PDB file of all heavy atoms in Angstrom:
ATOM      1  N   PHE A  24      -5.585  11.924   3.567  1.00 71.00           N
ATOM      2  CA  PHE A  24      -5.694  11.677   2.147  1.00 71.00           C
ATOM      3  C   PHE A  24      -4.661  12.478   1.425  1.00 71.00           C
ATOM      4  O   PHE A  24      -4.722  13.691   1.475  1.00 71.00           O
ATOM      5  CB  PHE A  24      -7.078  11.887   1.669  1.00 71.00           C
ATOM      6  CG  PHE A  24      -7.222  11.745   0.152  1.00 71.00           C
ATOM      7  CD1 PHE A  24      -7.267  10.405  -0.350  1.00 71.00           C
ATOM      8  CD2 PHE A  24      -7.211  12.771  -0.711  1.00 71.00           C
ATOM      9  CE1 PHE A  24      -7.374  10.210  -1.688  1.00 71.00           C
ATOM     10  CE2 PHE A  24      -7.257  12.594  -2.118  1.00 71.00           C
ATOM     11  CZ  PHE A  24      -7.373  11.287  -2.594  1.00 71.00           C
ATOM     12  N   HIS A 104      -8.579 -30.070   6.263  1.00 96.00           N
ATOM     13  CA  HIS A 104      -9.431 -30.523   5.100  1.00 96.00           C
ATOM     14  C   HIS A 104      -8.901 -31.568   4.403  1.00 96.00           C
ATOM     15  O   HIS A 104      -9.554 -32.645   3.913  1.00 96.00           O
ATOM     16  CB  HIS A 104      -9.750 -29.264   4.207  1.00 96.00           C
ATOM     17  CG  HIS A 104     -10.527 -29.619   2.949  1.00 96.00           C
ATOM     18  ND1 HIS A 104     -11.925 -29.946   3.124  1.00 96.00           N
ATOM     19  CD2 HIS A 104     -10.216 -29.796   1.704  1.00 96.00           C
ATOM     20  CE1 HIS A 104     -12.317 -30.199   1.877  1.00 96.00           C
ATOM     21  NE2 HIS A 104     -11.346 -30.093   1.008  1.00 96.00           N
ATOM     22  N   LEU A 116       1.645 -25.625  13.661  1.00 96.00           N
ATOM     23  CA  LEU A 116       1.938 -25.332  15.179  1.00 96.00           C
ATOM     24  C   LEU A 116       3.072 -24.620  15.395  1.00 96.00           C
ATOM     25  O   LEU A 116       3.060 -23.575  16.196  1.00 96.00           O
ATOM     26  CB  LEU A 116       1.907 -26.723  15.903  1.00 96.00           C
ATOM     27  CG  LEU A 116       1.673 -26.695  17.372  1.00 96.00           C
ATOM     28  CD1 LEU A 116       0.403 -26.131  17.629  1.00 96.00           C
ATOM     29  CD2 LEU A 116       1.746 -28.074  18.034  1.00 96.00           C
ATOM     30  N   ILE A 133       1.832  -2.868  22.215  1.00 91.00           N
ATOM     31  CA  ILE A 133       1.187  -1.653  21.645  1.00 91.00           C
ATOM     32  C   ILE A 133      -0.110  -1.293  22.235  1.00 91.00           C
ATOM     33  O   ILE A 133      -0.394  -0.103  22.589  1.00 91.00           O
ATOM     34  CB  ILE A 133       1.147  -1.822  20.109  1.00 91.00           C
ATOM     35  CG1 ILE A 133       2.553  -1.826  19.539  1.00 91.00           C
ATOM     36  CG2 ILE A 133       0.331  -0.666  19.461  1.00 91.00           C
ATOM     37  CD1 ILE A 133       2.552  -2.215  18.043  1.00 91.00           C
ATOM     38  N   ILE A 139      -3.009   2.509  28.766  1.00 86.00           N
ATOM     39  CA  ILE A 139      -2.574   3.097  30.048  1.00 86.00           C
ATOM     40  C   ILE A 139      -2.548   4.656  30.011  1.00 86.00           C
ATOM     41  O   ILE A 139      -2.019   5.221  28.947  1.00 86.00           O
ATOM     42  CB  ILE A 139      -1.148   2.609  30.540  1.00 86.00           C
ATOM     43  CG1 ILE A 139      -1.142   1.164  30.697  1.00 86.00           C
ATOM     44  CG2 ILE A 139      -0.576   3.277  31.661  1.00 86.00           C
ATOM     45  CD1 ILE A 139       0.122   0.483  30.896  1.00 86.00           C
TER      46      ILE A 139
END
Side-chain angles (χ1 to χ4, degrees):
F24 177 74
H104 177 73
L116 200 58
I133 290 171
I139 295 174

